[in-house]
Amino acid sequence: MNFIGIDLAWGNRNPTGLAHLVSDGSGCRLVRADRLTTDREILEWVEACGGNDVWLGIDAPIIARNPPGTSRPADKMVSARFGRYHAGVYPANRVRCERPIRLCRKLRRRGFSSNPFLPGRGGRRQLEIFPHLVQVAFFERPRIIKYKKGPVSARQAGLSEFQTAIGTYLTGQDPPLLPSRALSHLLREDPKALRGAALKSLEDRLDALLCAYTAFYFHTWGETRCEVIGDHAQGYIIAFRG
């Protein structure tokens, strides 16, 4: 079974982080992490992972039918419930999220259902993931790790903390993220040695890994340990039961 994380850039010109996990019954292993730009490149990367049983965890609003100037009910619910953790979301609408909606449509044509409520654990699925909610739940934190904004030194420190949290908490989850050469390489990249695009590349690949693992976790536990905030008609975000 394959699980792919996509830290999708909302704009067409910005690179997207990708991560590919494979499960073996005892957990999942990172096979590779990458960074690509166009829809075509992303779709070819996904298909190259192979198989008909592939679940995607996508960090982007893949369903947003509401008009400009409004936000989805799921966005409001997440911000109201998790804002105290600094895990509020940007309001999504059909204009602002044109690129994620378009990619979702292309994935549907390739057999990836966007419905999180479908029964069964096989087939092709695409799920909307918000990494900040995953951080709060899995890393046992009162606040999210800050690594997306601010001075370079603060972002570097945040990404280093992010790497440590993944290596500490995801490897101890049920089921666990298992050791692999690709994981070791990703967690050993030194943020302090990176600037600019290289630093952003590490951020995107780490976020993609978290999305892939969340898809794996949801596949394993479903709504026993997870919660779908929102609905398939107007948009949703995968969260976790406390």
Side-chain angles (χ1 to χ4, degrees):
M1 188 83 190
N2 296 282
F3 300 90
I4 296 172
I6 303 177
D7 181 34
L8 184 64
W10 291 22
N12 295 314
R13 296 181 180 180
N14 296 326
T16 285
L18 297 155
H20 177 202
L21 301 179
V22 175
S23 65
D24 63 3
S26 61
C28 63
R29 285 184 170 83
L30 179 65
V31 176
R32 59 174 173 159
D34 210 337
R35 199 165 179 248
L36 299 170
T37 302
T38 68
D39 286 2
R40 180 176 179 179
E41 289 172 332
I42 294 167
L43 292 169
E44 288 177 350
W45 197 94
V46 168
E47 292 292 359
C49 292
N52 292 319
D53 293 323
V54 183
W55 284 35
L56 312 178
I58 303 176
D59 177 16
I62 58 177
I63 299 170
R65 298 184 173 91
N66 49 301
T70 66
S71 61
R72 305 179 301 174
D75 300 334
K76 294 178 181 178
M77 288 187 281
V78 167
S79 292
R81 288 174 53 182
F82 298 98
R84 66 183 184 275
Y85 302 104
H86 297 182
V89 298
Y90 290 114
N93 62 63
R94 64 177 181 243
V95 173
R96 178 177 290 174
C97 304
E98 181 181 358
R99 199 274 177 93
I101 294 169
R102 184 183 70 231
L103 184 66
C104 176
R105 186 167 58 246
K106 292 177 179 179
L107 286 166
R108 283 200 198 103
R109 289 200 291 265
R110 288 162 172 78
F112 288 91
S113 171
S114 57
N115 187 349
F117 302 105
L118 286 180
R121 296 184 177 182
R124 291 184 157 198
R125 307 278 185 94
Q126 53 176 318
L127 307 166
E128 182 175 333
I129 308 296
F130 185 41
H132 283 168
L133 295 188
V134 187
Q135 286 185 28
V136 170
F138 287 162
F139 301 164
E140 303 174 7
R141 296 183 57 85
R143 298 286 188 277
I144 62 171
I145 301 172
K146 302 295 182 71
Y147 53 83
K148 292 185 176 293
K149 296 180 179 179
V152 171
S153 60
R155 293 177 58 209
Q156 291 169 331
L159 285 174
S160 180
E161 187 177 359
F162 192 14
Q163 290 171 309
T164 299
I166 288 174
T168 301
Y169 291 99
L170 292 194
T171 57
Q173 273 295 335
D174 178 20
L177 176 64
L178 300 170
S180 71
R181 181 177 299 178
L183 179 63
S184 178
H185 176 76
L186 185 61
L187 298 186
R188 288 180 180 176
E189 287 191 44
D190 184 5
K192 294 180 181 178
L194 304 177
R195 298 285 192 282
L199 189 65
K200 187 64 168 66
S201 173
L202 177 60
E203 173 193 319
D204 292 344
R205 287 176 286 132
L206 290 171
D207 276 341
L209 170 58
L210 205 55
C211 289
Y213 179 82
T214 305
F216 171 63
Y217 191 87
F218 185 75
H219 173 270
T220 302
W221 293 109
E223 291 187 82
T224 302
R225 294 190 182 180
C226 301
E227 178 184 4
V228 181
I229 298 177
D231 57 45
H232 188 228
Q234 300 182 74
Y236 65 87
I237 296 172
I238 302 295
F240 308 90
R241 299 194 184 280

